[in-house]
Amino acid sequence: EDLIYLFHWRNSEKFRFLIHHHTDTISYEAFREEFAQDSEAHKYQFLVEKKETGEPIGFTYVNIFSEQYKSCFINLFIDEPFENKGYGIDAFVLFVLFLFNHALLKKLFVSVFDFNEHSLSCLRNIGMRELIGNITTVPERGNILCFAAGNTIVPNLVRIDKMLSMNKHPVFSL
């Protein structure tokens, strides 16, 4: 059932442009094969759902995980109807806290396109630091900036999580 949502998102322009390395749309059969390969390759993957309804609104996953260095790159996708409503920051904070607390993560990395002002603002405001000079240019898409944070970010994430919990009812679960 969730595969239908993931398939729809995988073929959306937003996902193909911002997250996926392939910009073409694919068939459902090809998606199932791609998903099976991704499931084997990506250690942590979670569907983001509205807590009260169980409606899927996005997903988050670890793209690259190093057991040796206890570090990872993560991706987060929130479907367009749910953008700019706080779901992304909620999902990001919970997922990153999970990784630091349960996967014993020591270093977190996030890549974001330089035109994605909302994500850039969120990353900077939670305490992630831009790795200056670490820019990748993707033809026809733009520049990708890289951000990093160590486990010293955890107290800030806990504080943000408490503030978010106090200011509104729980809206989603990972």
Side-chain angles (χ1 to χ4, degrees):
E1 180 181 315
D2 293 337
L3 282 180
I4 297 297
Y5 285 98
L6 295 170
F7 171 66
H8 170 73
W9 294 333
R10 162 57 177 88
N11 280 328
S12 71
E13 184 177 355
K14 175 186 172 187
F15 182 83
R16 289 181 291 120
F17 189 75
L18 293 177
I19 305 241
H20 208 277
H21 53 279
H22 295 294
T23 58
D24 54 329
T25 59
I26 60 175
S27 69
Y28 187 69
E29 293 75 28
F31 166 74
R32 287 174 54 102
E33 289 176 25
E34 180 181 271
F35 182 77
Q37 291 172 353
D38 288 348
S39 293
E40 287 182 27
H42 301 143
K43 186 170 182 163
Y44 299 102
Q45 297 182 74
F46 294 97
L47 195 64
V48 179
E49 300 177 336
K50 287 177 93 175
K51 195 170 203 169
E52 64 276 5
T53 64
E55 177 185 7
I57 63 170
F59 63 96
T60 187
Y61 63 96
V62 169
N63 190 28
I64 300 168
F65 189 88
S66 168
E67 285 288 346
Q68 179 181 0
Y69 297 107
K70 292 292 185 187
S71 64
C72 71
F73 273 87
I74 66 168
N75 285 323
L76 171 66
F77 175 86
I78 299 295
D79 198 13
E80 286 187 50
F82 305 100
E83 288 180 336
N84 299 316
K85 296 181 177 160
Y87 296 116
I89 191 69
D90 286 355
F92 182 87
V93 167
L94 284 180
F95 187 46
V96 172
L97 283 173
F98 167 82
L99 291 170
F100 276 111
N101 293 327
H102 297 285
L104 305 177
L105 197 67
K106 293 183 180 176
K107 193 83 164 180
L108 171 72
F109 296 95
V110 177
S111 297
V112 64
F113 278 102
D114 60 355
F115 59 81
N116 191 338
E117 291 298 326
H118 182 72
S119 292
L120 290 169
S121 174
C122 289
L123 293 173
R124 290 177 176 129
N125 286 330
I126 65 164
M128 294 197 71
R129 297 185 183 255
E130 184 177 347
L131 300 177
I132 304 300
N134 192 340
I135 299 173
T136 303
T137 300
V138 179
E140 300 179 17
R141 293 196 208 178
N143 293 326
I144 298 176
L145 308 177
C146 188
F147 287 77
N151 56 8
T152 56
I153 197 172
V154 170
N156 196 31
L157 294 174
V158 169
R159 181 186 58 77
I160 292 168
D161 185 41
K162 284 181 183 174
M163 285 176 31
L164 292 170
S165 297
M166 290 180 351
N167 291 332
K168 63 183 177 187
H169 62 292
V171 291
F172 75 95
S173 59
L174 287 177

